[in-house]
Amino acid sequence: MNLKPSAAPKGVIGIAGHAGIGHAFSHSGFFQEDSGGFAYLTTLLCRTCPAADITIASVDIDEEGRVVVTTKGGGVGRASALHGFSPYEKELMQRAVGMRCAAPQTLSGRIFGRTYGQGAGTQASAFSLAAANAMMDTGRVQWPSRTIGAPDDLPGCAGSFLGGVLDIDDMPVSWLLTINASVDGTGPNEDSEGCVPIGNKGRIMQELGMLDMPLLVLEGKAYVPALKPPLEKNSVFIRWNSKYDNIVAGECLVRAAEESGQPVCVLPDTYSRYTTELADETRRIGERIEALGRAYASEANAARKIALIAELATICNHDSAGSIFMTNDIQRIVGNGGLWPGLGAMLALCVTREEADLWKTLRLTDEEMDMVVDILIEAARYLYERKDEAMVYVEQRRPDISLEELEAMARA
């Protein structure tokens, strides 16, 4: 098997992976390492282009108070935190120097203990964003053939995109890295998650042909307490919706995962579409906050005021993440994973309750990232062999909505 940067302007199949900066916890006990999709694709790119050394070379604070991360491969990433960084936090972040980890959330967890989004842990989220930016910039600097990059141009977003083409043997594959982040470490806004062709991301996907080819879409590592029966072993996690997504892409992922010998969990009827579930969850959280506000306004006792605020903090740093991450109208089309109908299926990892209870916040190991990439490469081969079958779903399930209309939803 030979991996190399491609001279082709676009591939015949595609791979997309994202990082949701700070999207670590949610309601009902769900939590995740949401930079895994970015990490798996970055690991593949580093195999393809060894000069892209993502080892952290330095961490500093610039004159504007932003954290600045540089890599040994020449990448530079910056990010700001809502309340800035203290000298102690700057000292903590020096621990990252010399570390090599393709998963920005795991890297941030190794520095700060755990990462919170939704404005609850802006310093850790900002460091995670700066590290992700530096890794993406390393790819841009070192990739010897053409890449296409752009910032996330949706309101309040601080993420970015980078795409190109690599060859797996003689098979050209379009690839696209996505960083979903909000300003000052407060998000993430994931309207451009997965393979959603919105704003600048949509324009890059068009240029790489990724709106007209089957895709393998990468997600992170999750603890899903609602899985029945509960997992006995950590598993490869493959998901799509048989009514809306690309069944062939899903079947290729399942085949490659099963041949790897790893435990496999397959959900072919998840990521529901055209429901009110996100609007309902947003309303539920809003009503809980409203009730807490009323209770707090009339409370005089210190202990009870503290308990109310502690409950509000839990809503902010955990429960609200299940509703803030995407615009309701966009989620109705693409589901919680950001799968544009017809294009692809999702590859990720899921863990047992025992791992979740031990770590409290999920992390990715180098061995796990390499294992997912091995599965990904084999799935890409199978998808290439079945690309004509897969294209039927791409063409037949394409939503009747323009990219301009989709972008207008995020700007409404």
Side-chain angles (χ1 to χ4, degrees):
M1 188 257 304
N2 182 36
L3 295 171
K4 66 178 187 297
S6 180
K10 59 182 66 175
V12 291
I13 65 169
I15 299 171
H18 93 113
I21 300 299
H23 202 197
F25 297 94
S26 188
H27 62 82
S28 306
F30 174 94
F31 58 101
Q32 63 183 345
E33 209 295 5
D34 199 32
S35 69
F38 178 97
Y40 308 141
L41 182 48
T42 296
T43 299
L44 175 61
L45 298 178
C46 289
R47 285 193 194 180
T48 307
C49 179
D53 186 349
I54 59 171
T55 304
I56 304 300
S58 67
V59 180
D60 210 337
I61 305 296
D62 68 13
E63 293 180 355
E64 297 178 29
R66 299 173 299 180
V67 58
V68 182
V69 175
T70 62
T71 68
K72 289 187 176 180
V76 180
R78 297 176 174 84
S80 59
L82 185 60
H83 301 295
F85 297 92
S86 74
Y88 290 137
E89 287 158 344
K90 180 179 178 182
E91 182 179 342
L92 271 177
M93 290 186 289
Q94 298 308 308
R95 295 173 55 196
V97 175
M99 290 185 182
R100 186 195 181 283
C101 179
Q105 185 175 312
T106 294
L107 183 63
S108 179
R110 291 175 67 181
I111 304 306
F112 287 94
R114 67 182 76 186
T115 302
Y116 286 109
Q118 304 85 246
T122 62
Q123 290 76 25
S125 286
F127 174 78
S128 183
L129 174 56
N133 285 337
M135 294 180 209
M136 180 180 282
D137 193 48
T138 305
R140 180 191 64 80
V141 169
Q142 296 294 344
W143 198 257
S145 52
R146 184 186 69 132
T147 61
I148 310 166
D152 190 336
D153 56 336
L154 299 180
C157 289
S160 53
F161 316 109
L162 184 71
V165 185
L166 62 85
D167 287 338
I168 300 176
D169 293 330
D170 295 324
M171 175 178 61
V173 178
S174 293
W175 57 265
L176 179 59
L177 283 171
T178 292
I179 299 173
N180 291 132
S182 300
V183 294
D184 294 335
T186 57
N189 180 334
E190 295 187 326
D191 280 346
S192 59
E193 182 184 14
C195 58
V196 183
I198 191 168
N200 279 340
K201 180 170 181 173
R203 289 179 273 277
I204 292 174
M205 289 178 70
Q206 280 185 318
E207 192 165 348
L208 292 172
M210 296 179 78
L211 295 178
D212 300 297
M213 66 176 64
L215 305 179
L216 302 173
V217 185
L218 306 173
E219 261 284 0
K221 181 181 183 181
Y223 171 59
V224 187
L227 282 178
K228 301 297 181 186
L231 290 180
E232 295 182 0
K233 295 181 178 179
N234 291 356
S235 301
V236 180
F237 198 21
I238 299 169
R239 290 167 286 176
W240 71 90
N241 187 291
S242 295
K243 183 176 179 181
Y244 294 102
D245 298 318
N246 198 299
I247 294 174
V248 173
E251 290 173 348
C252 292
L253 287 170
V254 172
R255 178 182 173 186
E258 289 178 342
E259 290 177 350
S260 75
Q262 299 294 327
V264 183
C265 176
V266 181
L267 297 181
D269 290 300
T270 188
Y271 294 137
S272 57
R273 307 301 213 284
Y274 301 101
T275 71
T276 61
E277 65 179 29
L278 188 59
D280 293 343
E281 177 61 16
T282 303
R283 186 178 305 107
R284 184 184 76 85
I285 292 293
E287 289 170 353
R288 283 184 64 192
I289 294 171
E290 182 181 24
L292 282 171
R294 288 196 302 269
Y296 188 83
S298 60
E299 185 55 70
N301 178 270
R304 290 191 289 271
K305 285 192 286 186
I306 291 166
L308 288 167
I309 291 300
E311 184 177 351
L312 177 61
T314 298
I315 292 173
C316 291
N317 60 32
H318 284 76
D319 296 22
S320 67
S323 57
I324 59 102
F325 69 98
M326 193 174 283
T327 297
N328 293 357
D329 286 343
I330 294 173
Q331 188 272 347
R332 292 183 73 247
I333 300 169
V334 304
N336 289 345
L339 282 177
W340 191 246
L343 284 186
M346 193 75 74
L347 172 63
L349 298 175
C350 54
V351 306
T352 63
R353 178 175 179 176
E354 289 72 21
E355 174 153 338
D357 287 346
L358 172 65
W359 286 94
K360 307 297 188 292
T361 180
L362 295 187
R363 89 284 188 241
L364 279 163
T365 67
D366 289 343
E367 292 77 15
E368 287 171 326
M369 289 184 266
D370 283 330
M371 178 262 291
V372 171
V373 170
D374 290 341
I375 292 170
L376 176 64
I377 290 170
E378 291 306 309
R381 294 181 193 275
Y382 297 141
L383 185 57
Y384 178 70
E385 293 171 359
R386 299 181 62 187
K387 62 182 181 300
D388 291 341
E389 293 176 71
M391 279 303 301
V392 173
Y393 292 103
V394 173
E395 293 164 357
Q396 291 184 352
R397 295 183 169 182
R398 195 189 310 270
D400 185 20
I401 180 174
S402 70
L403 301 191
E404 291 75 20
E405 290 172 319
L406 182 67
E407 185 171 349
M409 292 178 183
R411 296 184 181 278

